[in-house]
């Protein structure tokens, strides 16, 4: 089945960022909100008018974001080393530590149907001065965590990845996909640039991690899953569409290095692409699954 509409082309909607990340579609206002991490600001693009605005300056280096069931924006902040909620510009911390120590720099986040918040915690915001504030790894690793809003409990669910980054559930939430982006040209040539799949057990645990796809060129940073279970992942030169088991189905060339994507638009079938300096869009034949 085709992934794009027959006449679909990748179009540039906005530019002027340094490193675009963390896009989310806001249905109530018909806009895409995303992070320009090195400029420490949050941008917003209104689809109908084409209006680009700075939603927040001095944003404490936000990164990935999604919506919860109430429509509130849940976002990661490298600067505050936290996962937080933004409602009409009022930002409150949801969780910023585990076992008495701070996270590294939460990178990307999803909300499960039961309300639990799952997020990755690689060290980019404490290692790279342009992406946050220099700091130490206080618990020593780079985990994926699950936060339970009802109890405030936060539990590591994946501890065997080097630099977990993007994450998304399969449509039935039986599988959690997580990318590992530890590969770095000139710095860690033997690092990972792949997507792992984990079985989700009891809605709260991950088991049987396995690599389903090695992504080239570049790394699979952020990605989303569509309602048919396919994975739409970033890479250095394109958005790549994978089957649920990791086979490459399609490649959508993009003129800049891609960091992350989200589905949205009036019918939910537009893919918005955060790629270096710009926000792009392309019309697909599907819709996003979950958050
Ligand atoms: Mg990321």
């Amino acid at each position: 089945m085709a992934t794009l509409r027959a006449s679909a082309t990748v179009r540039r909607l906005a530019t002027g960022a340094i490193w675009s990340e963390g896009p989310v579609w806001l249905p109530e206002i018909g806009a895409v909100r995303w992070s320009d991490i090195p400029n420490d600001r949050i941008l917003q693009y209104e689809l109908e008018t084409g209006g680009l605005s700075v939603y927040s300056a001095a944003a404490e280096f936000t990164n990935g974001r999604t919506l919860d069931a109430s429509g509130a924006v849940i976002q990661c902040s490298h600067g505050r080393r936290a996962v937080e909620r933004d409602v009409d510009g009022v930002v409150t911390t949801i969780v910023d530590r585990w076992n008495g120590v701070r996270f590294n720099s939460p990178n990307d986040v999803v909300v499960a149907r039961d309300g639990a918040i799952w997020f990755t915690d690689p060290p980019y915001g404490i290692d790279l001065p342009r992406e946050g504030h220099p700091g130490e790894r206080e618990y020593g690793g780079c985990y994926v965590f699950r936060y339970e809003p009802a109890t405030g409990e936060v539990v590591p669910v994946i501890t065997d990845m080097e630099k977990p980054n993007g994450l998304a559930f399969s449509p039935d939430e039986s599988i959690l996909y997580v990318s590992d982006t530890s590969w770095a040209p000139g710095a860690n040539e033997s690092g990972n640039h792949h997507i792992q799949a984990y079985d989700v057990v009891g809605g709260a645990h991950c088991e049987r991690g396995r690599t389903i796809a090695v992504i080239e060129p570049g790394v699979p940073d952020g990605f989303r899953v569509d309602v048919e279970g396919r994975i739409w992942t970033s890479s250095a030169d394109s958005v790549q569409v994978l089957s649920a088991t990791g086979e490459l189905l399609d490649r959508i060339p993009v003129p800049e290095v891609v960091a992350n994507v989200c589905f949205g638009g009036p019918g939910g079938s537009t893919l918005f692409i955060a790629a270096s300096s710009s926000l792009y869009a392309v019309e697909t034949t599907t819709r996003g699954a979950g958050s």
Side-chain angles (χ1 to χ4, degrees), residues 21 63 107-108 165-166 221-222 259-260:
E21 247 284 13
N63 192 336
N107 189 292
D108 218 337
N165 194 324
D221 191 330
N260 212 333

Side-chain angles (χ1 to χ4, degrees), residues 171-189:
D172 66 0
E173 298 188 347
S174 67
I175 296 171
L176 180 69
Y177 300 104
V178 187
S179 63
D180 190 322
T181 55
S182 58
W183 177 81
N188 186 11
E189 299 278 354

Side-chain angles (χ1 to χ4, degrees), residues 49-108:
T49 63
L52 174 66
S53 58
V54 176
Y55 174 75
S56 173
E60 280 302 341
F61 304 95
T62 63
N63 192 336
R65 55 176 53 76
T66 190
L67 302 182
D68 69 12
S70 76
V73 172
I74 308 298
Q75 66 189 19
C76 298
S77 165
H78 286 180
R80 283 187 280 263
R81 302 173 70 157
V83 176
E84 50 197 30
R85 180 180 288 106
D86 181 323
V87 178
D88 300 329
V90 178
V91 177
T92 51
T93 297
I94 296 171
V95 61
D96 64 357
R97 58 194 61 223
W98 165 66
N99 241 1
V101 298
R102 289 189 296 172
F103 299 127
N104 301 319
S105 52
N107 189 292
D108 218 337

Side-chain angles (χ1 to χ4, degrees), residues 43-230:
L43 301 175
Q44 205 156 278
Y45 176 84
E46 199 179 293
L47 192 58
E48 202 170 298
T49 63
L52 174 66
S53 58
V54 176
Y55 174 75
S56 173
E60 280 302 341
F61 304 95
T62 63
N63 192 336
R65 55 176 53 76
T66 190
L67 302 182
D68 69 12
S70 76
V73 172
I74 308 298
Q75 66 189 19
C76 298
S77 165
H78 286 180
R80 283 187 280 263
R81 302 173 70 157
V83 176
E84 50 197 30
R85 180 180 288 106
D86 181 323
V87 178
D88 300 329
V90 178
V91 177
T92 51
T93 297
I94 296 171
V95 61
D96 64 357
R97 58 194 61 223
W98 165 66
N99 241 1
V101 298
R102 289 189 296 172
F103 299 127
N104 301 319
S105 52
N107 189 292
D108 218 337
V109 59
V110 289
V111 179
R113 283 191 197 95
D114 67 0
I117 297 170
W118 300 59
F119 59 95
T120 58
D121 190 34
Y124 297 111
I126 53 175
D127 285 355
L128 306 175
R130 78 172 200 161
E131 292 211 6
H133 307 299
E136 300 299 319
R137 298 187 193 193
E138 296 190 2
Y139 63 87
C142 294
Y143 296 166
V144 179
F145 291 95
R146 177 185 184 274
Y147 172 77
E148 171 61 62
T151 61
E153 187 182 32
V154 59
V155 173
V157 284
I158 296 173
T159 59
D160 63 354
M161 297 184 77
E162 237 179 285
K163 290 188 177 174
N165 194 324
L167 77 173
F169 287 106
S170 62
D172 66 0
E173 298 188 347
S174 67
I175 296 171
L176 180 69
Y177 300 104
V178 187
S179 63
D180 190 322
T181 55
S182 58
W183 177 81
N188 186 11
E189 299 278 354
S190 62
N192 299 318
H193 44 105
H194 63 219
I195 295 176
Q196 299 261 104
Y198 291 80
D199 295 341
V200 179
V201 180
H205 302 284
C206 288
E207 291 181 359
R208 210 172 67 85
R210 62 272 185 195
T211 300
I212 61 158
V214 174
I215 302 300
E216 294 174 323
V219 297
D221 191 330
F223 57 90
R224 303 276 180 168
V225 169
D226 69 28
V227 289
E228 288 145 287
R230 296 172 300 200

